[in-house]
Amino acid sequence: MIIVRIYSVTFVVFLLLDSVWLGVISPALYKEQIGHLLAPEVNWIAAALFYILFIAGLVYFAVKPSIQQNSWKSALGNGGFFGLVCYATFDLTNQATLMDWPLLITAIDLVWGTFICGSSSLVSFFIGRKFKK
């Protein structure tokens, strides 16, 4: 089934990018800015559920429509916008409800969410459209 293949590609691309971000680039920043809020261990079940659902949304709203339209611009734009909206939901809610949620983290996360979702959608578009043939 084509959609399963597209989902799988998007899942792998997103997970690779996010692994670099969370494992290499951002740990010191997050520890410095929100270390007091971080759990001592990752809840892997919650993390897995997030990735499963989030990638489904990214495929549904960005990757699949861009493949149907054969538009890399749609993949990049819709993916980036999806990321901005989703990451804004998390960060701006935290900004609104937590006493000491750093504005810096919100700004960085919004840029990251836009970038990772736009990039993942774009790469998935170029790979996924080959499945249609």
Side-chain angles (χ1 to χ4, degrees):
M1 195 164 173
I2 292 172
I3 195 67
V4 172
R5 293 168 73 186
I6 292 168
Y7 179 92
S8 299
V9 165
T10 307
F11 193 91
V12 169
V13 170
F14 189 93
L15 203 58
L16 287 173
L17 289 172
D18 216 27
S19 294
V20 171
W21 174 252
L22 292 173
V24 179
I25 298 171
S26 70
L29 171 70
Y30 285 136
K31 187 173 183 178
E32 174 191 318
Q33 294 290 314
I34 57 170
H36 62 289
L37 298 172
L38 297 176
E41 293 185 29
V42 173
N43 179 334
W44 291 108
I45 293 171
L49 289 172
F50 161 77
Y51 283 109
I52 290 165
L53 290 170
F54 190 84
I55 300 307
L58 189 59
V59 168
Y60 184 83
F61 290 112
V63 180
K64 184 181 171 195
S66 68
I67 291 171
Q68 290 170 337
Q69 298 165 10
N70 195 29
S71 172
W72 68 267
K73 291 177 185 176
S74 174
L76 184 61
N78 290 345
F81 186 64
F82 178 79
L84 175 65
V85 170
C86 290
Y87 278 65
T89 300
F90 172 78
D91 281 282
L92 294 175
T93 298
N94 287 343
Q95 198 78 60
T97 61
L98 300 178
M99 284 193 327
D100 56 355
W101 186 262
L103 183 58
L104 177 64
I105 293 298
T106 296
I108 290 170
D109 278 358
L110 295 184
V111 171
W112 175 246
T114 303
F115 171 80
I116 189 173
C117 291
S119 299
S120 295
S121 295
L122 185 62
V123 170
S124 298
F125 163 77
F126 283 118
I127 295 170
R129 73 180 179 168
K130 294 179 181 184
F131 299 147
K132 270 184 76 171
K133 296 179 181 180

